[in-house]
Amino acid sequence: MAKVRNLLEITDFSTEEIGDLVDLALNIISDPKLYSEACKGKKLATLFYEPSTRTRLSFTSAMMELGGNVLGFSDAAASSVSKGEVVADTVRVVECFADIIAMRHSKEGAPWVASQYISIPIINAGDGGHSHPTQTLTDMLTIYREKGSFDNLTIGFCGDLLYGRTVHSLAKAMGRYKGIKFVFISPKELRIPAYLRTDIQKKGCEFIEVESIEEAMPMLDVLYMTRVQKERFDSEEVYNRLKDSFILDMPKMQSAKEDMIILHPLPRVNEIAYEVDSDPRACYFRQVLNGKYIRMALIYTLLRWKEEGKFCDEESQTREIPCQNPRCISYTERVQPLYRQADDGTKRCVYCDAVLAEKG
Ligand code: NCD
């Protein structure tokens, strides 16, 4: 059955489609009035089961600037979820009231599950420690506006690369461009997940993993700082030991390129000293504003595609290998355990990307 286009993973969009979104965002920036009624009469539902400031408000403000309306919740405890309602039921209800959904959930793959039950577009606004594709679009619009291209960049990711969903999505996205090199800077305990390392290797993308920011600094065109994701740790003791692994300050900036840019999805906790904010290379507040424009482009595009009948290709999925990742939505909600065959021959859970037991 033909399925409406969603944004669940950044790779749901081809590089050409991302290029079109960036162009559209640039048009919106140069002539916002032209789009002020582009989504008139349409409603966006923001279903946020996890805390958020920027992402939810930027979705809200994006839809308002397109002339549309917004409904939803920012605290699952105030919705029927607190009575035990599953995602599949909640979204079938919300589909009766809205034209498009943005969902954030602590379980990996929750927006994917939602997409199986509805026929309006759904956008993943962050699923556990897995993915955050609209932050990636935000980061990419910022990279494009600051550096003028997506090619030939050395990108350093620093901090919590294990649980940082923004890192996972941005690495997947940027690995598709020419001449990209990654420098992953983290303590051993917070290195990128194994599945992502395999994906990057398969793409033939050059990368190194280091434990010191000083060592990486002179090579970088983009430095992507991240917070250690307290809420994903099982042990507070481990979090406390790792939380201040990296603090970017002006002495460390001395060896950076003059045109290096510093990105951070925010919120910042302690990983960038306030003194860095006034350095022209610090882009993280400009990045927030870009988030609104690219989300305007995304909402407008997904709604237009639905109207024009632009659907996804049918996906080939085989069933019945249960996922063992306790953070996966399929572990706690009654959903079909679906998998996909990855390039490296492993079977991966479609919801959270975990490698499943069987090979071949
Ligand atoms: C990020 C997130 O929620 O993953 N924040 C955001 O959406 N801008 C990063 C974080 O919480 O550290």
Side-chain angles (χ1 to χ4, degrees), residues 51 54-55 104 132 135 165-166 227 229 231 264-267:
R54 271 149 297 276
T55 306
R104 168 169 288 191
H132 194 346
Q135 181 63 45
R165 55 194 176 192
T166 63
R227 145 186 98 86
Q229 307 277 299
E231 65 277 32
H264 191 310
L266 302 178

Side-chain angles (χ1 to χ4, degrees), residues 21-167:
L21 277 187
V22 166
D23 285 346
L24 179 55
L26 295 173
N27 270 326
I28 294 172
I29 291 167
S30 62
D31 195 355
K33 274 212 175 71
L34 204 60
Y35 296 87
S36 63
E37 299 205 332
C39 291
K40 198 170 168 200
K42 298 287 183 195
K43 282 169 281 177
L44 164 76
T46 55
L47 311 185
F48 276 60
Y49 295 75
E50 263 198 337
S52 168
T53 305
R54 271 149 297 276
T55 306
R56 190 175 61 80
L57 293 182
S58 87
F59 267 113
T60 303
S61 132
M63 191 52 164
M64 285 171 164
E65 293 201 19
L66 291 167
N69 286 304
V70 185
L71 66 166
F73 55 80
S74 55
D75 176 8
S79 77
S80 282
V81 175
S82 61
K83 301 179 190 170
E85 187 169 65
V86 294
V87 163
D89 288 355
T90 303
V91 292
R92 277 180 286 189
V93 169
V94 172
E95 185 180 23
C96 303
F97 310 134
D99 302 285
I100 183 165
I101 294 177
M103 176 188 281
R104 168 169 288 191
H105 203 287
S106 58
K107 289 286 174 194
E108 302 181 2
W112 211 101
V113 167
S115 75
Q116 303 295 293
Y117 291 89
I118 54 176
S119 52
I120 59 172
I122 175 151
I123 301 170
N124 179 0
D127 63 326
H130 181 224
S131 296
H132 194 346
T134 65
Q135 181 63 45
T136 296
L137 293 174
T138 302
D139 304 337
M140 291 181 75
L141 178 58
T142 310
I143 291 173
Y144 192 80
R145 293 186 78 189
E146 302 287 336
K147 307 295 290 178
S149 162
F150 295 132
D151 296 329
N152 304 318
L153 296 170
T154 299
I155 305 173
F157 290 95
C158 179
D160 186 346
L161 311 188
L162 178 63
Y163 298 121
R165 55 194 176 192
T166 63
V167 171

Side-chain angles (χ1 to χ4, degrees), residues 273-294:
Y274 293 111
E275 62 187 15
V276 178
D277 296 358
S278 51
D279 188 294
R281 291 169 286 189
C283 294
Y284 25 94
F285 292 108
R286 299 202 283 281
Q287 193 180 346
V288 176
L289 186 57
N290 287 329
K292 180 184 74 176
Y293 294 122
I294 201 79

